[in-house]
Amino acid sequence: MRARPWRVAVVGGGITGLAAAVRLRDRAPADTEITVYEQSGALGGKLRTGELAGRPVEFGAESFLMRDPAGGESAAVTLARRLGLAGRIVHPTVGQAALVVDGGLRPVPGGTLVGVPGDLAAVATVAEPTADADRDGGRPLLDADQDVSVGALVRSRFGEQVVQRLVDPMLGGVYAGRADDLSLVTTMPALARAARVEHTLVGAVRAAQAAAPRAPGAPVFGTLTGGLGTLVEAAATASGATIRRNAAVRELTPVGDGWRLTVGPTRDPESVGADAVLLTVPARPTARLLAGFAAAQAATVGGLDYASVALVTLALPAPDLPRLSGFLVPATEGLLIKASTFFTTKWGHLAAPDGLALVRASVGRYGEETSLQVTDDDLLATVHRELTRVLGVALPTPVAGHVQRWGGALPQYAPGHTGRVAAVRAALRAAHPTLAVAGAGFDGVGIPVCVRSGENAAEEIIEALEGSGP
C-alpha cells in the first residue's frame, strides 16, 4: 500500500502538458496530485484564440488533423471526445488552396503527399519534374536506418522545380523551414517507411497513401466552434491539476527517489518536491533543466534549432477574395508572406452576414529572422500590399489588424532527429525512470502529435511509479 499520494509535476502548460495531465488523471490513482507549471500567464502554448473586429480568430494553431497516420481517429479528436467537445468539431467548407507561381495563383495539385507527387502528370500545372530521374535502381530508396533531408530525396528523383514550387512551400507552411534542412523520417514518417521498401519515389508516395486510405469526402482537418482555446480550457479543467501560471521552473534536481523543482524568480525561489516530472517545454529550456544531471542528453536536446514566425491577421470589409482556403508561397517568389489563410472563406462557421473577412498571413522563414525585425505596423502594411499583389485586386483598408509574434516557435528537425531523440529517452529512462520528456521538440509538430506525445509520457510515468515502490 502506498504511504501517500503520488506527486507528479508537469512542466509546461501547452497542449502537450495538458494532454499529459488529463491522461494522468484518467489512468493514475485517483488521489494523485498533479501540478502543471506554466511560466507565462496563459495556458495553451501555440494554441491561442483571440478576437479581432469582434470576431473570434486563432492567433496560433488553426486546426488539427482528423486522422492519425494509420488511418484511425487522431489523438486530437480522441481528446476532444474525452473532453465532451466532439459535437463542436467543424470542418473547412472550402478545401482548395493555391500556390503562388510566377506571381499568380495556381491550384495546389491533388494527390501529393506534403507536396511530393504520386502522379507526375498531376503536378504539370505548377512544376516540371525531371524526365526519367525516378528510375528503379533495383533496391529501396533508403536503407533500414537511413534518414535524409526531404529536399535531397525529392530533388534527386523529381528535380529542382518540384522541390521549390511544391515541397518547399508545403513544408514552409508547416515548419517555416526549408526542404533541404528537414528530416524525412521526422516530418514525413509514412513516406520514409515506404522508401525503405519501394524502389521509386512515385511508388513510395503511392504506398504511403495506400497505407492510410481516406474515405472519399472525409474531412482532413477540423477545428472547434468557439476556437481551439476551448480545448485548452476543457483539458485544464478535466485534468483536475493544480495550475500554476507565471511559475517558471528554473532548476530540476534528482533527490533520492524523487525530484526537487526550483520555481519562481531568482530573488524569491520556491523549492517543491515531486515523485515524477514530465518536461513538456521546448528543447532549449528542457536542455537547461537536464544540464545538472544529464549533461550529454542536455547537449543533444539543446542542439535543436527553431524558426521564428509572425502571424498577421487583417479584418477586411467585404474584400473580393477568390473561393480558396488560402495560398502557399515558394521562397523563390521573393515575398515576405509564406502562407495565407482566408479564414472566413475556409471556415464557413466564421462567415458573417456583413461580409467582413478575416485573412491571416504567416511570415518568417528559418534563417531569415531579420525580416521580422520591423514594427507591427510595417508587417501589417507589407502583408496588405503583398496580398493585393498576389490576388491582383485592390483590397480595402483593414478595419483592424493583429500581429502575433512567435519567437523560436517551430522546431527544425535535421536528418537523424528521431534517432537522437530515441537515444536521449533511452538514457534518461535508464538513469531516471520517473522523468519523461515530450512535445514538439521531440516528436513533431501539430496538435495530434503533441497530444499523443504528452499521453505517452504520462503512461511512462505511471508505469515507472507503479514499479518504484510498494
Side-chain angles (χ1 to χ4, degrees):
M1 183 176 179
R2 290 179 294 117
R4 57 171 174 74
W6 290 345
R7 299 166 301 165
V8 182
V10 178
V11 182
I15 194 60
T16 304
L18 295 174
V22 171
R23 179 57 60 93
L24 286 166
R25 180 58 62 208
D26 288 348
R27 299 269 290 111
D31 60 353
T32 299
E33 298 171 3
I34 307 165
T35 305
V36 175
Y37 296 90
E38 168 54 44
Q39 73 167 2
S40 74
L43 297 175
K46 306 303 181 297
L47 277 63
R48 184 172 302 180
T49 304
E51 189 177 276
L52 189 66
R55 316 292 164 87
V57 64
E58 300 294 353
F59 294 147
E62 171 200 351
S63 61
F64 47 81
L65 286 166
M66 293 297 294
R67 301 181 308 138
D68 70 13
E73 182 176 272
S74 81
V77 175
T78 303
L79 179 62
R81 192 181 308 285
R82 157 68 181 85
L83 300 175
L85 299 175
R88 299 179 68 163
I89 297 176
V90 291
H91 309 292
T93 46
V94 174
Q96 179 63 59
L99 284 161
V100 178
V101 177
D102 297 330
L105 292 175
R106 301 186 194 179
V108 172
T112 73
L113 192 64
V114 196
V116 185
D119 177 359
L120 297 183
V123 303
T125 54
V126 295
E128 185 177 338
T130 301
D132 299 327
D134 191 32
R135 292 183 179 142
D136 185 340
R139 63 187 302 275
L141 296 175
L142 294 183
D143 294 333
D145 298 316
Q146 186 181 3
D147 190 10
V148 296
S149 76
V150 177
L153 177 62
V154 176
R155 184 180 293 102
S156 70
R157 291 278 159 171
F158 295 156
E160 188 66 41
Q161 272 202 1
V162 173
V163 175
Q164 288 187 350
R165 294 186 173 186
L166 273 164
V167 181
D168 218 39
M170 290 278 196
L171 289 172
V174 177
Y175 300 97
R178 303 301 296 267
D180 284 336
D181 300 323
L182 292 168
S183 155
L184 180 74
V185 171
T186 304
T187 62
M188 302 174 67
L191 183 58
R193 284 193 295 272
R196 302 194 197 289
V197 178
E198 300 294 330
H199 294 191
T200 66
L201 189 50
V202 163
V205 171
R206 292 176 178 173
Q209 291 169 331
R214 178 165 63 96
V220 177
F221 296 102
T223 192
L224 298 174
T225 56
L228 291 173
T230 58
L231 186 72
V232 173
E233 296 161 9
T237 300
S239 73
T242 299
I243 306 292
R244 299 275 309 270
R245 295 174 174 84
N246 299 305
V249 177
R250 293 192 297 103
E251 192 174 339
L252 181 63
T253 309
V255 179
D257 292 334
W259 299 90
R260 184 178 69 244
L261 292 77
T262 302
V263 184
T266 307
R267 65 182 180 278
D268 187 23
E270 175 188 1
S271 184
V272 179
D275 299 305
V277 177
L278 282 80
L279 299 180
T280 69
V281 290
R284 287 176 183 167
T286 296
R288 286 195 292 272
L289 292 173
L290 294 177
F293 58 90
Q297 289 71 45
T300 300
V301 170
L304 180 66
D305 212 353
Y306 282 73
S308 297
V309 297
L311 300 178
V312 181
T313 310
L314 303 177
L316 301 168
D320 183 13
L321 297 177
R323 188 76 177 157
L324 294 167
S325 60
F327 61 82
L328 297 166
V329 186
T332 50
E333 292 292 319
L335 299 178
L336 182 64
I337 295 175
K338 64 182 179 63
S340 182
T341 302
F342 306 153
F343 270 131
T344 40
T345 304
K346 179 177 181 178
W347 301 100
H349 70 287
L350 297 177
D354 61 6
L356 184 78
L358 297 175
V359 177
R360 190 176 83 175
S362 174
V363 301
R365 291 181 173 90
Y366 178 62
E368 301 175 7
E369 282 73 17
T370 54
S371 66
L372 301 177
Q373 293 171 3
V374 297
T375 66
D376 287 1
D377 286 345
D378 284 342
L379 281 179
L380 288 162
T382 299
V383 164
H384 187 268
R385 182 173 63 252
E386 290 189 352
L387 285 170
T388 296
R389 175 176 153 190
V390 167
L391 297 177
V393 297
L395 291 177
T397 300
V399 298
H402 181 273
V403 175
Q404 179 69 52
R405 296 175 186 265
W406 293 107
L410 294 170
Q412 302 298 296
Y413 310 106
H417 172 81
T418 301
R420 290 189 291 273
V421 168
V424 165
R425 282 181 164 147
L428 291 177
R429 195 175 295 120
H432 305 284
T434 55
L435 172 69
V437 294
F442 297 91
D443 297 313
V445 301
I447 297 172
V449 174
C450 290
V451 168
R452 178 63 51 80
S453 179
E455 291 173 345
N456 288 344
E459 295 285 358
E460 283 187 29
I461 289 298
I462 292 168
E463 184 178 340
L465 288 174
E466 286 175 340
S468 65

